Amino acid sequence: MSCGEAVYGSLAVLALLLVTVGTRGFFLVPDSEPRLPHWLRRSFRHAPSAALLAMVAPEVLLSQGHWPADWRDARLFAVAATVAVYLWRRDSVTGCILAGTATFLVLRLGFGWI
């Protein structure tokens, strides 16, 4: 490695460090909490569930980027079982997880569904 490459590499790492610290530390600079409009604060309540849905929905509904061609897809029935347990007992997160996992495993391993 030449001296010029080492300098450029060091400058790149320094630039990345400054950008990272600047963007993450920006919220630590003000003395008081920034005032956000009420509609924006209210919409932040839905951000975690929206992010979870954005991650889970494609994994459940798509198979390698395509809709499932067969109705015997264990993921769909596992989601249906999870939703049913949630609607039955809204306070049981563990019950939802166990119902979905058990349904998926029985259909996938027991019956050989996709």
Side-chain angles (χ1 to χ4, degrees):
M1 180 187 317
S2 69
C3 183
E5 290 175 348
V7 169
Y8 284 127
S10 299
L11 287 175
V13 169
L14 183 64
L16 289 170
L17 174 78
L18 290 174
V19 168
T20 302
V21 169
T23 55
R24 293 177 187 249
F26 176 75
F27 298 103
L28 301 175
V29 175
D31 291 337
S32 63
E33 186 175 324
R35 296 193 49 89
L36 298 174
H38 180 67
W39 62 269
L40 184 59
R41 280 188 285 137
R42 192 174 62 230
S43 66
F44 280 155
R45 290 185 310 176
H46 305 292
S49 43
L52 181 64
L53 182 65
M55 291 186 304
V56 171
E59 182 64 32
V60 169
L61 298 176
L62 300 176
S63 178
Q64 297 180 353
H66 301 288
W67 294 104
D70 192 9
W71 64 271
R72 294 182 303 153
D73 192 347
R75 296 173 301 173
L76 300 175
F77 288 91
V79 168
T82 304
V83 170
V85 170
Y86 172 75
L87 293 175
W88 177 47
R89 298 201 43 170
R90 293 183 186 265
D91 60 341
S92 178
V93 174
T94 306
C96 292
I97 294 171
L98 290 175
T101 304
T103 304
F104 181 79
L105 288 176
V106 166
L107 293 176
R108 178 62 90 56
L109 300 176
F111 294 107
W113 286 14
I114 300 171

